[in-house]
Amino acid sequence: MRNILKKAVLGIFTLGATFSQAQKSDLGAWYMYFGNNKISKKLNFHNEIQYRNFDGIGDLEQLLIRTGIGYDLTENNNNVLLGYGFILSQPYVKGEKTENIEHRIFQQYITRQKFGRFNIQHRYRLEERFLEEDFRMRFRYFLGFNIPINNREMLPKTIYASAYNEIFLHFDSPVFDRNRVYGALGYVINKNMRIEVGYMNQIQENRNRGQIQIGFYNNIPFTKN
């Protein structure tokens, strides 16, 4: 089973590189950690770090740190969350490396559904973005799927397919900010941890760019309640 997963992951990297070249866009890499840890029966602590790179490793594009406290409106579902994000970006402007810092407050609502093997997640997020010389508000809608392959459920040692689409909309002009389309394979390590390797294509008004993504998910609870 591990050999199958290795071959599939290699295929994703190859496909991502090929697709990126076809779109005439440079291929970057995102290394991501996501924590969603119960601190009581209803409350959860969200924490994440994303290291985003222009060329795989060594040329920082963006460092994103996000955290927040969420509350389940129903048992293990319908979660509302208030969070904060710190974003350090180092884009190239006219060939020169620049740096800017953003502080971000966000509110979100997540609801989950299950149809057969399809595990579906809807996320609605509102962001207040405090940029160095500007303030902007943005709405994001995320639709994601996790589909187990070698088991009917997302049990330990399960290989699964993952896909999502997320659209970003500004509250002012231009309204359209970007759209992200993602496909991946994942492996459920145990009931609280899993890993994914995939490819994401990000479409902006004047730019289309591919990203290899490696994500680790940690749901170890801080409480037994």
Side-chain angles (χ1 to χ4, degrees):
M1 192 63 67
R2 290 182 179 177
N3 288 334
I4 295 174
L5 182 60
K6 287 179 181 178
K7 291 179 181 179
V9 168
L10 180 61
I12 289 174
F13 272 89
T14 304
L15 178 62
T18 303
F19 184 83
S20 179
Q21 290 174 1
Q23 295 293 324
K24 296 182 180 180
S25 58
D26 49 334
L27 183 67
W30 291 9
Y31 305 99
M32 307 174 296
Y33 166 84
F34 298 95
N36 186 36
N37 312 101
K38 285 276 191 181
I39 55 180
S40 72
K41 186 176 180 180
K42 290 282 191 178
L43 292 173
N44 67 287
F45 171 57
H46 176 80
N47 50 102
E48 69 178 90
I49 299 175
Q50 298 190 35
Y51 176 81
R52 300 173 175 179
N53 207 276
F54 280 111
D55 59 0
I57 190 168
D59 189 4
L60 177 67
E61 177 182 9
Q62 191 173 78
L63 176 65
L64 186 150
I65 301 171
R66 222 174 346 226
T67 188
I69 297 294
Y71 180 82
D72 287 343
L73 299 176
T74 58
E75 187 174 359
N76 296 319
N77 198 4
N78 296 313
N79 182 270
V80 292
L81 182 142
L82 174 64
Y84 165 78
F86 171 85
I87 300 94
L88 168 65
S89 300
Q90 294 185 346
Y92 285 95
V93 177
K94 296 181 180 180
E96 295 291 329
K97 189 91 164 178
T98 61
E99 181 174 296
N100 55 71
I101 292 174
E102 175 185 346
H103 299 277
R104 187 180 300 174
I105 298 171
F106 66 97
Q107 305 82 40
Q108 70 181 32
Y109 170 67
I110 292 177
T111 184
R112 297 179 177 86
Q113 302 167 312
K114 192 174 188 306
F115 296 99
R117 292 195 178 202
F118 285 75
N119 299 276
I120 304 171
Q121 176 177 298
H122 305 267
R123 185 181 70 203
Y124 308 85
R125 178 179 288 175
L126 180 65
E127 296 177 329
E128 295 83 40
R129 307 176 60 203
F130 297 87
L131 306 164
E132 290 185 347
E133 298 181 358
D134 196 10
F135 171 77
R136 305 200 76 177
M137 293 184 66
R138 186 167 67 181
F139 172 74
R140 300 165 57 165
Y141 170 64
F142 171 102
L143 174 62
F145 301 85
N146 285 336
I147 309 162
I149 295 173
N150 60 321
N151 287 309
R152 292 195 61 83
E153 304 290 339
M154 295 282 286
L155 301 171
K157 299 183 180 180
T158 296
I159 296 173
Y160 65 95
S162 181
Y164 74 68
N165 188 87
E166 184 173 21
I167 188 167
F168 297 61
L169 301 174
H170 287 135
F171 275 55
D172 52 6
S173 182
V175 174
F176 176 76
D177 181 20
R178 67 194 65 199
N179 191 80
R180 294 175 179 169
V181 181
Y182 171 81
L185 283 177
Y187 181 74
V188 181
I189 301 169
N190 56 45
K191 67 177 182 178
N192 292 315
M193 292 187 291
R194 57 189 174 91
I195 190 169
E196 283 183 17
V197 179
Y199 174 80
M200 184 268 289
N201 189 47
Q202 180 166 248
I203 301 168
Q204 295 173 270
E205 185 177 359
N206 298 313
R207 193 177 186 189
N208 186 16
R209 187 156 183 256
Q211 313 281 352
I212 295 297
Q213 296 193 343
I214 300 175
F216 178 77
Y217 297 79
N218 163 31
N219 296 324
I220 298 174
F222 293 160
T223 176
K224 294 183 180 179
N225 293 334

